[in-house]
């Protein structure tokens, strides 16, 4: 609507609005909104700046749930969906823990020794533990795989 009036100023605003069946008050309210944004738009600009600051302080890691939690902790009353929308409009995104895909082995790394020599039969219960996970949870706590491999060496002999 405003583009048509801007492109053809010689027609006059009232004539164009009358042909389009648009009230002149609607046109002038639209024009005023372009010059001076409403309270919600001004608040969105302020919130976007706060969101950018929180996101930068987190090292670019925080997504909308954490940013929303920080804003809430700081006493800023804002909805989760609004934070999501503002982050999307500002092209801000958190980093997902699963973003990199699957793990690739470092070709320069030395391989762990095969202590059971691919023989997975145990002579007695609780004598041979084998896993392919990085972390093994036991009653003693989490243990790393190289330590578990050492346990197999001790229990095998």
């Amino acid at each position: 609507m405003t583009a048509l009036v801007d492109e053809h100023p010689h027609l006059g605003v009232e004539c164009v609005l009358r042909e389009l069946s648009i009230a002149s008050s609607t046109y002038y309210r639209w024009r005023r909104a372009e010059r001076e944004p409403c309270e919600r738009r001004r608040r969105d600009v302020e919130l976007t700046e706060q969101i950018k600051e929180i996101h930068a302080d987190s090292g670019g890691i925080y997504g909308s749930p954490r940013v929303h939690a920080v804003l809430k902790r700081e006493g800023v009353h804002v909805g989760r969906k609004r934070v999501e929308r503002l982050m999307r409009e500002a092209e801000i995104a958190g980093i997902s823990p699963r973003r990199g895909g699957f793990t690739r082995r470092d070709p320069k790394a030395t391989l762990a020794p095969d202590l059971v020599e691919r023989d997975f039969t145990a002579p007695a219960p609780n004598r041979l533990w084998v896993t392919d996970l990085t972390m093994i949870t036991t009653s003693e706590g989490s243990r790393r795989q190289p330590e578990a491999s050492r346990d197999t060496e001790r229990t095998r002999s």
Side-chain angles (χ1 to χ4, degrees):
M1 163 178 65
T2 57
L4 180 65
V5 174
D6 291 343
E7 288 175 20
H8 305 285
H10 61 282
L11 296 176
V13 174
E14 297 300 325
C15 284
V16 172
L17 294 176
R18 194 170 32 254
E19 275 304 307
L20 295 173
S21 301
I22 297 173
S24 59
S25 61
T26 303
Y27 170 77
Y28 289 113
R29 187 174 54 234
W30 185 273
R31 281 296 212 194
R32 187 176 62 243
E34 286 178 342
R35 283 193 317 271
E36 50 189 69
C38 66
E39 179 63 30
R40 182 176 174 86
R41 298 251 185 252
R42 286 193 299 267
R43 183 75 179 121
D44 280 354
V45 170
E46 293 171 9
L47 279 171
T48 302
E49 291 306 313
Q50 283 182 293
I51 289 169
K52 285 180 181 178
E53 184 179 325
I54 292 167
H55 185 71
D57 289 348
S58 75
I61 295 174
Y62 284 7
S64 60
R66 286 185 176 172
V67 169
H68 179 255
V70 171
L71 287 170
K72 190 175 179 182
R73 204 169 30 246
E74 291 177 355
V76 178
H77 184 74
V78 62
R80 181 181 51 86
K81 296 282 190 174
R82 189 174 186 185
V83 172
E84 288 175 8
R85 177 180 57 84
L86 293 174
M87 287 183 71
R88 189 172 46 252
E89 288 173 358
E91 298 179 349
I92 301 171
I95 295 177
S96 172
R98 293 177 200 85
R99 188 177 203 173
F102 57 90
T103 306
R104 292 183 178 88
R105 182 171 47 100
D106 182 7
K108 299 173 192 162
T110 58
L111 297 175
D114 184 5
L115 300 176
V116 294
E117 298 165 352
R118 302 276 175 208
D119 178 18
F120 300 107
T121 56
N126 205 20
R127 298 289 294 165
L128 177 66
W129 292 13
V130 180
T131 183
D132 61 350
L133 302 174
T134 304
M135 297 294 283
I136 306 165
T137 305
T138 64
S139 60
E140 298 171 0
S142 294
R143 306 184 86 185
R144 293 196 177 170
Q145 188 172 349
E147 294 173 18
S149 297
R150 283 190 215 109
D151 281 349
T152 59
E153 184 178 19
R154 281 188 229 128
T155 57
R156 184 101 199 250
S157 38

